[in-house]
Amino acid sequence: MEQKPARVRIIDAAHQLMLTIGLARATTKEIARAAGCSEAALYKHFPSKEELFVAVLRERLPKLDPLLKQLIATPGAGERTVEQNLTEIARQAALFYEQSFPIAASLYAEPRLKERHNAAMRELGIGPHIPIRGVDAYLRSEQAAGRLRADADTYAAASLLLGACAQRAFAYEATETGGPPQSLDEFAASVASALIKGVGA
């Protein structure tokens, strides 16, 4: 069987290690070893662990950004309602947080490392605030198309939507069932329904 290209193997190994031992403990040396390459080869593809982390987020986790860009470009288009669009945003966001939270959670145990990581994210122009801005931009485009109330606070609505999705990723592990009370689709639909009651035209 033909071996995968080095870059693919590195991202695969990083994803697996970040899931199992966390971002903070997944060293470039361990990632390179798991990928079957040298640390020098890893740095040829990724100048820093932060850039590798961003590649894992973009290439291995559910993608919210393309959906938002499509919705922003065509507000009010097609047969889908704003509530249906918000349901799909919530579904993709909940999946993303569910899969990314275990990767990034270990950073919170090491404040200095977290600050270095945040600084790198700022330099790369990425971070948890970016999806909020994306959802806000989508909601503003719908507002301009007359499908949301003119006085609706779109940034607050975006924050509430994504905050609920992020909360779902870790809030229910200590419950009797060890998981959320609703399926992913039920959750996405109920969050979108609650939100549209506050901002819908």
Side-chain angles (χ1 to χ4, degrees):
M1 183 185 289
E2 189 178 344
Q3 192 177 43
K4 292 178 182 178
R7 185 181 183 280
V8 175
R9 286 186 283 117
I10 290 166
I11 294 176
D12 285 344
H15 185 202
Q16 187 57 36
L17 284 170
M18 288 173 183
L19 277 174
T20 53
I21 65 175
L23 178 61
R25 292 177 59 203
T27 66
T28 52
K29 183 180 287 188
E30 287 173 331
I31 293 168
R33 186 185 306 119
C37 67
S38 67
E39 205 171 357
L42 183 151
Y43 280 116
K44 232 169 97 176
H45 293 279
F46 303 99
S48 68
K49 192 167 81 167
E50 285 75 23
E51 292 198 31
L52 178 52
F53 173 60
V54 170
V56 168
L57 293 183
R58 286 179 173 162
E59 299 179 32
R60 293 294 179 273
L61 271 57
K63 296 172 176 62
L64 183 58
D65 192 51
L67 171 63
L68 291 175
K69 284 181 176 171
Q70 177 192 347
L71 292 175
I72 291 166
T74 57
E79 297 176 0
R80 291 170 65 92
T81 65
V82 179
E83 184 173 341
Q84 288 171 326
N85 288 337
L86 288 174
T87 298
E88 184 55 24
I89 290 171
R91 201 174 81 73
Q92 290 296 326
L95 276 173
F96 175 81
Y97 289 122
E98 182 180 297
Q99 294 181 33
S100 64
F101 185 76
I103 293 174
S106 61
L107 280 176
Y108 288 83
E110 301 184 39
R112 288 181 185 175
L113 178 61
K114 183 175 181 295
E115 183 45 48
R116 289 201 303 273
H117 181 77
N118 286 346
M121 292 295 100
R122 284 191 288 270
E123 193 174 320
L124 292 168
I126 194 168
H129 60 290
I130 300 296
I132 299 174
R133 290 179 180 174
V135 176
D136 175 44
Y138 162 64
L139 292 174
R140 282 187 282 111
S141 72
E142 292 287 20
Q143 197 172 42
R147 299 216 298 174
L148 292 182
R149 277 193 359 238
D151 64 344
D153 186 334
T154 56
Y155 191 83
S159 300
L160 287 167
L161 179 71
L162 294 182
C165 295
Q167 182 77 357
R168 185 180 185 273
F170 69 92
Y172 299 103
E173 289 185 5
T175 63
E176 297 83 356
T177 60
Q182 298 170 299
S183 71
L184 176 63
D185 289 340
E186 288 170 336
F187 165 81
S190 64
V191 168
S193 174
L195 194 67
I196 204 69
K197 286 179 173 68
V199 298

